[in-house]
Each structure stands twice: as C-alpha cells, then as structure tokens.
Amino acid sequence: MLDALRKAAGTWIAKLLLVILVASFAVWGISGQITGGLGGNTVITAGDTTVSVVEYRLAYDRQINVLSQRFGQRLTREQAQALGIDNQVLAQLVAGAVLDEQARLMKLGLSDQRLAELTAEDPAFAGVNGQFDRTRFEYVLQQVGMRPEDYFKSRSQVAVRQQIVEAVSDGMDTPDAFLKAVAIYQGEDRSIEFVTIPASVAGEIADPEDSVLSAWFDERKSTYAAPEFRKIAYVKLEPEDIADPAAITDEQARKDYDDNIARYTTPEKREVFQLVFATEDEAKRARERIADGATFTEIVTQQGKTEADTSLGSVTKADIADAAIAEAAFALQANQVSEVVAGAFGPVLVHVTAITPEVIKPFDEVRDGIKKEIAVNEAARVLLDVHDDYEDARAGGDTLAEAAAKLQLKLVTVEAIDRTGRDPDGNIVTGLPESSELIRGAFDTEQGVENPAINIGSSGFVFYELVSITPARERALDEVRDRVLADWKTEQTSTRVATIAREVETKVKDGTPMAEAVADLSLEPQTKLGLKRDADDADIGKTGVEAVFGVPVNGTGTVRAPSDNSWIVFKVTESFEPAGAGPDSVPQDVRERFASGMADDLLDQLVTRLQDQFGVTVNQSAINRALSF
C-alpha cells in the first residue's frame, strides 16, 4: 500500500495518505503521556512541535467528510466513535507532529517557489489541457473541506516529512537469501499416500432417547427458529394481463396472416453440392462424361476431392451466397446435375440430391396465436392508460383488491413468505414477478401503506401490499423433529468417522503401513503426486492441501473430505524443491511487495522511535473540547 502511494503521480493527497498510513501502524501504541487536565489549547506536544485544538478539529472534520461521502450519509458523532475516527485522527496527527519535530531539528524546509511548483505540478489540480487550473484547485479543496492556506501548510509539511520518509525507506531491496527461501516455499510440491474414510464405516446410527435429542435441540434452537413470514397480495399489469384475444375478429387475423405470410412459411430446402473447376473446358468435359453415364460422385473423386469438400448442406435458396449457383440449384430436379454455371470462383457443376418442399401453415392452425398477438400489441398501446386508471382508483379510496376487480386484473395472494423467498415448509415460492424486488419491498413496507409500483422491464408493473406479519419465533422440537433427528444423526456419523480416521492416523504415525491400517475397513489407499501449496485438489480439497503442507515429510494428518461426510487420512511421502529456485524465479511484483513490506516496517519503527524520543504528550481534555464545537 505504502509502496503504491510512493509511486503515485506525486499528488499531495497521495503523500498525505502515506503519512496517515505510517501513523496507523502505531495507532494503539502511541507512547508518551495522555493528560486529563482542563486547560490549554494544545492537543499534541512533541518536543517543540504542537497541534492545536483547531488543527485537530479540522483534521477530524476532513476525515468525517471523507467517510460520509463513502457511506452516502453524514456520520453522527456516535457512529464516528464506533468507527474509531477519533483514534485514527489522533494517530495521524501524532505521526505528523513527530516527523515535523524531526524535520525542525534537521532544519529541513521548503521554499515558497518550490511549494508553488509542487502545487502547479499536482495532477489533482490539472485542467483539461493538463495545466494547473485554479478553478479545479478550489473545487478539489472544497471537496475535502480544506482552505487554501490549510492546503499550503499541509503541502509544505508533507513535502518536508516526505524527505525523512524517503531517506528511511527508498531503495529498500529484499535480500537474495529471503527471496530464495520464498521461491522454494512457493514452488515446493509434495506426494502423499491417503485413504478416504467414507460415512458408511460409521454403520447405522440408532435413534437417540428423547431426552438426548431434546437437549441437543435446546443447544441449537436458533438454528431451527422460524423466521418472520409476511402475507402479501399483488397485482401484475403487463400487456398479456389485459389482452382480449376474443375481441379480435377472424377478418383481422386473416389480414395479418396474409400480410405476414413469410412468418408462417418454411421455405424449400435442398441438399446441394458444387464442384468448381479450374477452366470452363475442364468443366464441360466433366459434364459430357456425366451425360455419357458417369456419376457426379465419380467426377468428384477424379478431381481428388470428397463429397464433404463439395457439400453446401441442406440449404434454402437465400442461404446460397452466389446468385448464379442458387438459381441453378433450385431449377434442378432431385438427383440432377446442372450444366456448367459461371460461378463467382470459376466454372461449377451443381448437383441436387434431395428436395424438402416449401410448407405453409394453414390459417386455421395459427389463427388463435395471431389473435393473441394482435390483442397483446393493442394492450401494450393502452397499458399506461390502465396504469393511470388503477392509480386513480386507489386515489379514490379503492383497496388493491377493489381496484384490481374494477380493471379485471388478477389479484394474487402469497400466504406466507420469508426474506429468502421460502414458504413455511422451506420451499422456494415460485412464479413471483420481479421476485427479488417484490420480496424486498414487502419486508421494507408496513401494513396499510400504498407502495410504489415495481417496474417489470419497460412494459409492465407490479402493485403490491403487505397483508399481515407472522413474527419470527422459536420452534418447538415436535415441529422440526424429522429435521433435527437427521441433523443429529449426521453429526454422530461425522464424529464416528472422525474418530475412526484418527485411529487410522495413529497406526500410520506409529509405523503401520497405511494399507494394513485400513485393511479391516476394506479400503484401498491412493497416491497423489505433485501437490502444490495453493492447489484446490478435487480429492482432498483446499483445506486438505493446507494440512498436507502443514506437516513435515513423513508427517500424517486427518481432514474432512471436501464434498461429503467422509474424512481423509494422509501421509506425506516426498517433498521436492523446484529446480533452479532462486531470487530471479520470484515474480517482480512479488519482489516489490516484499520490499514494500520491509520499508513499511522501517517506517513503523521510525514513528515509534520518534514518539519515544520526543516524549509525545496528548491532552485528552483538549480533544474533548475540540469535539464539542
């Protein structure tokens, strides 16, 4: 993170964040004295450097503004305290103070000319032409709640502090020995012998005594509690809901049928083959041979081609791009060969083997569908009028049911649904229009409230209301006995299998061959080679891989199988270092990340050392006073 900020485009915001992040390392370890006296306007003292009540409040307000924009609402004092903003600001200011004091002792400074240059070079204040823009400068400062004079002071301080930070951390390289160790660690692969202990070895689990099941249930009551359910009613308004196909006459449907006959027509298709020749004379000679009794297939073979090379497939006339070939193909009878055709790529012989005639669906077969389509289209044109009629009815005092009945819309009632869309039996409630938004709205509203309609795409609406609420409650054991009993048995099975797995592991750890250790279970060990540290293996899962790399060679372990109630016992049989592992084999971005981390450690130590050296004093009473106005 700090390394990324160092590489930022030199903006004062990035550099200020750098100092803030440095401070955050020591937020809980501010050394020095915290006083509780009532006097003074100084919040922090570090040597001869001080931070005033006003400076603390400005920093606090800026932090509040940043987080308020992020959360989309103004944070209250209580929310800010819960987020630890007061401690964050204190850490920022302490770090800045000790760095300022060190800069003062080192007599570091920044000239007015250099300050102006840094401000002009800051990309945060660049206009569309890439140059410094004063309007942009004022806007950016306004967004972070900072006056120009505050900015110039902070910019100067940041620039001076940065000289110290860069002197400490710039040029930090990760030692080659460390990088080699990383390369070996990341590139290592392991081989294991393992066996999967299935749930079946646990045998039949007998039903427990009622007292046992009851006690087990009592410890887990919240798991089986009934959530809050809500009864909702809704009316869907889409063109299909108000369409009236019966109002469409046969004459209207017939006209639409005649106007759009192509929609009901399946065009003629033909199996077409084309053979292209180098010259027209060659094509003519081939056609003469066909006339003398040769087959098209024989000519194709003589040309050194196969049937697949010449096939266009089963195509319509429109599917054939070359108009001349299309005309020739659809003028032939089945199993005929055309005369020589001047194709786009040379002279061609066209062969047709099969013809599927054109089919036109009769009007009587499609009449009902046409009427429905016309009715839906007409309904779409008046849908907004129906929407307005519904709104007028509700405004006039009609209930949802009354408004629906008046407009001949279907009222649907969902007797009980929870926040996840399930009914009391745990089944997903299906068929809800815009289900996610409808359920969310139903749980955000109250009874008796007329809710805004939910849009269905661009051409529909859902009107809904909350009818009643069934509060969440704890269930009695008898209500969920079957589920509880099944869960208890699953747990018992897992416990038994885990115990058996640990017994097998103990034998293997003591030197028993794994095949012998599981012989009485009729199980066969398996071998897995080349496991990598970050793999998510299909047989043992990511957790299993982590366990394999968590023990030494010849080490053993048990882990739950990734997909069922089985357990796995493993033994690490071999470990291989990657060939040629060295500093250069570590990716550049990883090397930079390690270097950045080491630099961060130095900065952390620097801030802590300076706090001890200058005897930082924090006046809690002044902080309380700063936060009171």
Side-chain angles (χ1 to χ4, degrees):
M1 177 72 75
L2 292 172
D3 189 60
L5 286 172
R6 289 191 195 92
K7 292 184 176 180
T11 69
W12 70 273
I13 294 175
K15 293 180 179 177
L16 188 57
L17 282 174
L18 175 61
V19 175
I20 290 172
L21 285 172
V22 170
S24 68
F25 291 125
V27 64
W28 301 115
I30 296 173
S31 59
Q33 182 181 3
I34 298 181
T35 66
L38 298 176
N41 290 319
T42 298
V43 172
I44 299 167
T45 302
D48 290 341
T49 299
T50 61
V51 177
S52 70
V53 168
V54 173
E55 289 172 322
Y56 179 91
R57 183 54 189 254
L58 284 172
Y60 181 86
D61 286 345
R62 281 198 295 270
Q63 190 77 341
I64 288 287
N65 289 338
V66 169
L67 292 178
S68 294
Q69 290 178 3
R70 184 182 303 168
F71 289 120
Q73 63 178 33
R74 181 70 182 177
L75 296 181
T76 65
R77 175 68 197 282
E78 291 73 19
Q79 291 170 328
Q81 190 171 15
L83 292 169
I85 292 178
D86 45 358
N87 286 326
Q88 294 170 24
V89 172
L90 180 61
Q92 295 165 16
L93 294 176
V94 166
V98 297
L99 290 173
D100 288 345
E101 178 63 8
Q102 182 64 31
R104 185 186 67 80
L105 294 176
M106 296 173 67
K107 301 186 184 304
L108 300 177
L110 192 71
S111 68
D112 290 344
Q113 180 179 350
R114 181 55 182 155
L115 179 59
E117 290 173 353
L118 289 174
T119 304
E121 293 168 0
D122 196 326
F125 306 136
V128 293
N129 61 355
Q131 302 299 313
F132 176 80
D133 186 293
R134 184 173 183 82
T135 302
R136 174 71 179 169
F137 171 78
E138 293 173 349
Y139 171 77
V140 170
L141 295 188
Q142 183 181 12
Q143 291 299 107
V144 296
M146 180 179 283
R147 299 174 303 171
E149 53 268 34
D150 297 329
Y151 161 75
F152 290 122
K153 179 181 178 181
S154 295
R155 187 67 183 85
S156 178
Q157 288 175 328
V158 168
V160 173
R161 295 169 188 170
Q162 190 70 10
Q163 296 177 46
I164 300 174
V165 170
E166 290 175 351
V168 172
S169 61
D170 270 15
M172 172 63 67
D173 288 326
T174 308
D176 285 351
F178 179 87
L179 291 174
K180 182 177 180 180
V182 169
I184 293 173
Y185 177 85
Q186 292 181 336
E188 177 189 5
D189 65 67
R190 292 188 168 194
S191 299
I192 63 169
E193 185 180 21
F194 73 100
V195 65
T196 301
I197 313 292
S200 58
V201 302
E204 186 69 25
I205 305 293
D207 290 355
E209 296 289 337
D210 284 348
S211 58
V212 173
L213 189 63
S214 180
W216 191 86
F217 169 74
D218 287 342
E219 294 175 358
R220 299 162 178 79
K221 271 190 173 181
S222 60
T223 303
Y224 302 97
E228 176 183 309
F229 287 98
R230 296 200 166 196
K231 180 178 180 179
I232 60 175
Y234 70 86
V235 172
K236 182 168 71 73
L237 174 58
E238 288 188 284
E240 293 83 354
D241 299 307
I242 57 174
D244 184 11
I248 307 301
T249 65
D250 284 354
E251 289 74 17
Q252 288 175 287
R254 168 62 78 174
K255 183 177 185 307
D256 186 89
Y257 175 81
D258 292 339
D259 290 344
N260 299 282
I261 192 65
R263 294 173 55 186
Y264 311 105
T265 301
T266 301
E268 176 184 331
K269 283 191 171 185
R270 297 186 170 208
E271 287 284 346
V272 179
F273 298 83
Q274 66 172 9
L275 182 58
V276 182
F277 293 88
T279 66
E280 185 174 357
D281 288 342
E282 187 178 350
K284 287 181 178 179
R285 287 195 296 271
R287 183 65 185 84
E288 289 170 357
R289 293 184 58 204
I290 291 174
D292 291 339
T295 66
F296 183 81
T297 301
E298 290 172 345
I299 301 299
V300 169
T301 302
Q302 290 171 3
Q303 291 291 316
K305 298 180 180 179
T306 66
E307 184 177 278
D309 294 331
T310 62
S311 175
L312 296 181
S314 179
V315 293
T316 66
K317 189 174 183 179
D319 292 333
I320 302 175
D322 192 322
I325 295 175
E327 289 294 336
F330 278 78
L332 296 172
Q333 299 297 318
N335 297 313
Q336 278 190 332
V337 178
S338 70
E339 297 298 327
V340 177
V341 178
F345 299 99
V348 177
L349 290 182
V350 179
H351 179 47
V352 172
T353 59
I355 299 175
T356 303
E358 176 185 82
V359 176
I360 301 176
K361 291 182 179 179
F363 173 70
D364 289 343
E365 183 179 329
V366 297
R367 175 175 47 206
D368 291 344
I370 293 174
K371 287 186 174 183
K372 181 177 180 180
E373 183 177 349
I374 295 173
V376 168
N377 289 337
E378 291 189 359
R381 287 192 289 271
V382 300
L383 185 134
L384 291 179
D385 293 334
V386 177
H387 170 276
D388 293 343
D389 290 342
Y390 170 87
E391 295 287 1
D392 291 342
R394 292 304 304 270
D398 286 354
T399 64
L400 176 69
E402 291 169 343
K406 185 176 293 184
L407 297 170
Q408 298 182 335
L409 296 173
K410 181 181 179 181
L411 177 70
V412 179
T413 300
V414 179
E415 292 297 328
I417 190 169
D418 68 12
R419 288 183 180 272
T420 66
R422 288 177 166 80
D423 64 20
D425 293 328
N427 301 315
I428 295 289
V429 178
T430 60
L432 297 179
E434 300 298 316
S435 58
S436 297
E437 193 169 351
L438 178 58
I439 294 169
R440 183 168 57 250
F443 277 84
D444 287 343
T445 190
E446 298 177 0
Q447 289 176 258
V449 172
E450 183 180 347
N451 304 291
I454 297 171
N455 291 330
I456 303 176
S458 59
S459 61
F461 305 92
V462 179
F463 306 102
Y464 69 97
E465 68 180 12
L466 173 61
V467 180
S468 62
I469 299 174
T470 301
R473 64 178 179 85
E474 288 189 346
R475 287 189 173 108
L477 175 57
D478 288 344
E479 295 181 76
V480 288
R481 178 175 291 274
D482 291 344
R483 180 181 162 197
V484 173
L485 179 60
D487 291 347
W488 181 87
K489 286 188 174 184
T490 297
E491 183 182 275
Q492 296 301 306
T493 298
S494 180
T495 300
R496 287 191 189 182
V497 176
T499 300
I500 294 170
R502 285 191 292 270
E503 292 171 353
V504 171
E505 185 203 359
T506 299
K507 293 178 183 179
V508 175
K509 186 181 293 185
D510 291 341
T512 304
M514 188 170 288
E516 184 179 331
V518 296
D520 58 340
L521 299 174
S522 300
L523 299 174
E524 290 289 336
Q526 301 176 60
T527 299
K528 188 171 287 290
L529 307 176
L531 276 175
K532 292 294 187 182
R533 189 176 296 274
D534 296 325
D536 186 2
D537 186 76
D539 294 317
I540 67 173
K542 191 173 183 64
T543 302
V545 172
E546 291 173 356
V548 165
F549 280 88
V551 299
V553 176
N554 295 320
T556 62
T558 62
V559 65
R560 187 187 290 274
S563 59
D564 54 27
N565 212 16
S566 303
W567 281 76
I568 292 168
V569 181
F570 68 85
K571 180 180 180 179
V572 179
T573 56
E574 291 179 298
S575 174
F576 300 94
E577 292 185 3
D584 293 340
S585 61
V586 178
Q588 183 63 29
D589 62 326
V590 176
R591 298 168 67 180
E592 291 175 355
R593 200 156 56 240
F594 281 125
S596 176
M598 291 182 176
D600 293 348
D601 289 342
L602 285 177
L603 294 176
D604 183 17
Q605 294 176 43
L606 169 65
V607 171
T608 302
R609 175 68 179 273
L610 292 179
Q611 289 176 188
D612 292 339
Q613 178 180 335
F614 297 134
V616 175
T617 300
V618 177
N619 187 340
Q620 188 62 52
S621 296
I623 291 176
N624 295 337
R625 190 160 58 256
L627 298 176
S628 66
F629 61 84

